[in-house]
Amino acid sequence: AQSVAQPEDQVNVAEGNPLTVKCTYSVSGNPYLFWYVQYPNRGLQFLLKYITGDNLVKGSYGFEAEFNKSQTSFHLKKPSALVSDSALYFCAVSTLRAAGNKLTFGGGTRVLVKP
Amino acid sequence: DAMVIQNPRYQVTQFGKPVTLSCSQTLNHNVMYWYQQKSSQAPKLLFHYYDKDFNNEADTPDNFQSRRPNTSFCFLDIRSPGLGDAAMYLCATSRGVVAGGRNEQFFGPGTRLTVL
């Protein structure tokens, strides 16, 4: 069985400071890893994914994530956070054999960026 | 723009009164999903269609049903809503291929269901 953990329920950061949202995963086989963001009363919005290749993945809105196989982690990062980045962030994992591209989500991390 | 559309955005129903939520897509994706999300928790997959093949999650209550009359549309039917069914319902789509776990899902804005 596959699983995803987001150890922090909430992350607080000052505007302009670096932002990191942590994610660890557990799968058998090679993982496909995703980050989604959700703004209030909206659906999830795809940010980026790791499939293979370069461990540093760049995505939308200046976000990037680093895949670390030895630590089974896929932390989301942004060098300089904006107030508008305040939202709920979900990490998710899939695998090669995932029927219908089925995702397993982490519990989510709420990010609050203060002016 | 290609997108996933959900109607209505807000739905109020009475305890035990059947309700149908609608999802349509212009992405021409062959996989469509329905999720239930409560109180900023992780979305919980209810079921998905791979083309016309229906795939129910083992823990999805029988109270929840789905229909997919064509590629573009998918419906979520709640036969007898209870207070515990109040939630945000999210529809998503993805391009499904054999061993297609690498393809991201595209989500609609959701329908917030209130049960009185």
Side-chain angles (χ1 to χ4, degrees):
Chain A
Q2 55 195 42
S3 65
V4 178
Q6 294 181 240
E8 300 160 315
D9 290 337
Q10 181 158 324
V11 170
N12 298 320
V13 64
E15 188 174 30
N17 281 2
L19 169 64
T20 299
V21 186
K22 295 180 181 178
C23 171
T24 59
Y25 65 90
S26 175
V27 299
S28 52
N30 292 324
Y32 299 145
L33 295 156
F34 302 80
W35 275 103
Y36 288 84
V37 61
Q38 186 176 31
Y39 297 99
N41 292 312
R42 303 296 299 274
L44 276 66
Q45 190 172 331
F46 170 73
L47 280 178
L48 50 79
K49 66 181 178 181
Y50 172 81
I51 303 301
T52 187
D54 194 348
N55 289 343
L56 185 64
V57 178
K58 294 189 182 296
S60 306
Y61 312 120
F63 283 95
E64 58 188 29
E66 186 167 10
F67 171 66
N68 188 317
K69 188 172 183 177
S70 63
Q71 297 185 3
T72 62
S73 67
F74 188 56
H75 301 331
L76 181 70
K77 300 180 181 181
K78 186 170 184 179
S80 178
L82 302 172
V83 172
S84 57
D85 294 327
S86 298
L88 187 57
Y89 291 79
F90 290 100
C91 181
V93 68
S94 181
T95 60
L96 183 67
R97 301 185 189 282
N101 306 13
K102 183 176 174 179
L103 291 171
T104 299
F105 285 94
T109 298
R110 186 168 300 282
V111 170
L112 180 60
V113 182
K114 298 181 179 179
Chain B
D1 287 343
M3 55 197 308
V4 181
I5 302 162
Q6 290 188 246
N7 287 305
R9 292 293 312 278
Y10 300 90
Q11 176 73 58
V12 179
T13 191
Q14 293 180 335
F15 183 93
K17 185 175 181 180
V19 66
T20 294
L21 307 183
S22 166
C23 177
S24 64
Q25 54 132 341
T26 61
L27 295 162
N28 202 33
H29 285 166
N30 55 331
V31 189
M32 295 187 76
Y33 311 77
W34 279 105
Y35 290 88
Q36 180 191 65
Q37 186 182 28
K38 294 185 177 182
S39 303
S40 299
Q41 297 176 15
K44 178 182 181 297
L45 182 64
L46 296 173
F47 25 60
H48 73 277
Y49 275 93
Y50 196 116
D51 294 320
K52 294 183 179 181
D53 294 333
F54 178 70
N55 298 271
N56 199 28
E57 293 300 299
D59 58 353
T60 298
D62 293 340
N63 198 26
F64 292 87
Q65 305 285 323
S66 186
R67 297 170 282 135
R68 188 179 186 186
N70 54 52
T71 300
S72 301
F73 285 87
C74 195
F75 300 98
L76 170 62
D77 300 310
I78 308 176
R79 293 192 297 185
S80 181
L83 298 179
D85 296 327
M88 174 78 89
Y89 289 88
L90 297 168
C91 174
T93 73
S94 70
R95 187 170 58 87
V97 296
V98 174
R102 65 183 64 195
N103 293 328
E104 63 269 27
Q105 295 182 17
F106 293 81
F107 285 79
T111 294
R112 183 167 296 283
L113 179 67
T114 300
V115 182
L116 301 177

